[in-house]
Amino acid sequence: MDASHHGLKIGIALGGGAARGWSHIGVLRVLAEEGIVPDMVAGTSIGAVVGGCLAAGKLDDLEEFARSLTRARVLGLLDFSLGASGLIAGEKLRQLLQEDLGGLRIEELPMRFGAIATEITTGHEIWLTRGRLLRAVQASYALPGIINPVRIGNRLLVDGTLVNPVPVSAARALGADVVLCVNLNGDLKLRGTTIQSIEDAYDDTEAETPEAEEENGRPGFLGPMLDMADNVADSLRGRDPARRVAPGMAKVMLDAFNITQDRISRARLAGDPPDLMISPKLAKIGLFDFHRADEIIALGAQATRRAMPDIRELLAEAKALAAAMR
């Protein structure tokens, strides 16, 4: 069911979600097996990494790299930096991507591509559809406070999940007749509600305990970086950072980012709905579980196989409608 056979232009929007984004590879593999190759791809954060590699014909290389990751190798890629805008400089990640994406320009790719970033000073949603592919991808995954922002032209850019976690609107704007999307947060249990009042469980006059002090994270200039390292190490060792007695700053920051991303995703998808959404079951996958690529890719493939009857029906209906309008 190749898109070129029925005249439809198929777009795919790949959402953000850190390590959960390896599931995009499984989604794309199953679609390709079914003869469905997107004509255009829009990606946010890890979705921009996978989408950029797809558009550049480098998905095989990315999958090989993802499957080769171990806990130790992931830790080795985290180049903690002092006195910068993020806890991770990102230079090691850039060097890895340079091998496959360096020198490529978006407008010269065989597939239309757009990466979503956020301008940190204004909050503008920036669609990167021209220029150097590597810089566009870097800007899209620059998680605020974690990875250094990326300057493109006169704009300082960070992770696109702040404004458009699942870029359906961008995929449609690139010219897609039918848009499929992959939502990496659809399985997360973040359906918060409003609690109007809670009981104060502590006496304000009670002396602060050592445990309470620890909840604020380590003191001093290196505190946030050490908190970050502990939380990443916990995740990579298979321990849940949330079960530590006192969560560090990075854990609180990432949890807050997850909640924000979920709320924005639901709002944006309600306003810019895809024609069909694929939601892999990723609730048990941590943001830093990059070493679990085999499992994560398989979850993406499973979700796509479950959705294939609906995808076939959608494309058949779209083909019939297009033919009737000629």
Side-chain angles (χ1 to χ4, degrees):
M1 191 186 292
D2 194 295
S4 63
H5 292 166
H6 50 61
L8 292 174
K9 290 185 177 180
I10 298 176
I12 189 162
L14 303 179
R20 299 167 189 142
W22 291 147
S23 64
H24 291 318
I25 297 174
V27 171
L28 295 169
R29 291 305 190 197
V30 172
L31 290 177
E33 290 170 6
E34 296 286 338
I36 302 171
V37 179
D39 298 279
M40 56 277 299
V41 56
T44 296
S45 196
I46 186 67
V49 176
V50 178
C53 288
L54 173 69
K58 300 290 186 178
L59 192 62
D60 289 347
D61 297 318
L62 181 66
E63 181 173 358
E64 181 181 358
F65 163 73
R67 292 185 185 275
S68 74
L69 289 174
T70 62
R71 292 182 175 90
R73 192 175 181 193
V74 173
L75 280 172
L77 291 172
L78 301 179
D79 47 352
F80 293 102
S81 61
L82 295 173
S85 301
L87 297 179
I88 299 172
E91 181 60 21
K92 292 183 179 180
L93 295 174
R94 187 199 67 77
Q95 290 174 359
L96 280 172
L97 291 171
Q98 175 73 30
E99 297 176 13
D100 291 322
L101 305 184
L104 298 177
R105 294 187 64 83
I106 297 173
E107 61 268 27
E108 297 171 357
L109 298 176
M111 181 184 296
R112 296 203 67 185
F113 171 71
I116 311 304
T118 306
E119 186 175 24
I120 193 62
T121 55
T122 64
H124 291 327
E125 178 178 335
I126 307 296
W127 294 3
L128 299 165
T129 58
R130 297 181 62 82
R132 287 186 289 167
L133 175 60
L134 177 56
R135 294 294 281 172
V137 168
Q138 280 184 279
S140 189
Y141 70 62
L143 185 64
I146 305 297
I147 300 177
N148 287 341
V150 173
R151 186 173 294 279
I152 297 181
N154 63 348
R155 300 182 186 275
L156 194 62
L157 305 180
V158 295
D159 200 308
T161 52
L162 289 175
V163 290
N164 198 348
V166 189
V168 173
S169 54
R172 212 175 291 283
L174 287 171
D177 300 311
V178 174
V179 176
L180 310 178
C181 84
V182 185
N183 182 7
L184 303 180
N185 301 294
D187 189 47
L188 303 187
K189 311 303 182 186
L190 293 172
R191 301 297 183 259
T193 186
T194 300
I195 300 175
Q196 296 185 8
S197 178
I198 61 172
E199 192 75 23
D200 188 352
Y202 300 99
D203 184 344
D204 290 339
T205 62
E206 188 175 309
E208 196 173 53
T209 64
E211 290 79 12
E213 290 177 358
E214 191 179 355
E215 283 188 9
N216 294 322
R218 289 185 177 90
F221 181 67
L222 292 177
M225 296 173 69
L226 295 172
D227 288 338
M228 173 72 172
D230 280 349
N231 281 289
V232 173
D234 280 347
S235 180
L236 292 174
R237 290 170 183 149
R239 296 198 296 259
D240 182 2
R243 299 193 65 176
R244 292 173 61 203
V245 173
M249 185 193 77
K251 172 66 170 61
V252 174
M253 181 188 301
L254 291 173
D255 280 354
F257 194 77
N258 262 337
I259 294 169
T260 303
Q261 184 174 338
D262 172 67
R263 299 298 191 273
I264 297 172
S265 294
R266 283 192 274 164
R268 289 300 299 259
L269 290 171
D272 299 310
D275 295 290
L276 188 141
M277 181 165 65
I278 300 169
S279 296
K281 296 184 179 299
L282 300 168
K284 296 182 180 180
I285 303 298
L287 287 174
F288 288 104
D289 287 348
F290 289 99
H291 60 288
R292 297 170 64 184
D294 290 348
E295 177 185 354
I296 299 169
I297 291 171
L299 290 170
Q302 291 168 14
T304 311
R305 291 192 181 98
R306 287 194 301 269
M308 276 313 304
D310 292 333
I311 294 174
R312 293 191 193 99
E313 182 179 355
L314 168 67
L315 295 181
E317 291 176 353
K319 177 184 177 182
L321 179 61
M325 294 177 65
R326 290 195 186 102

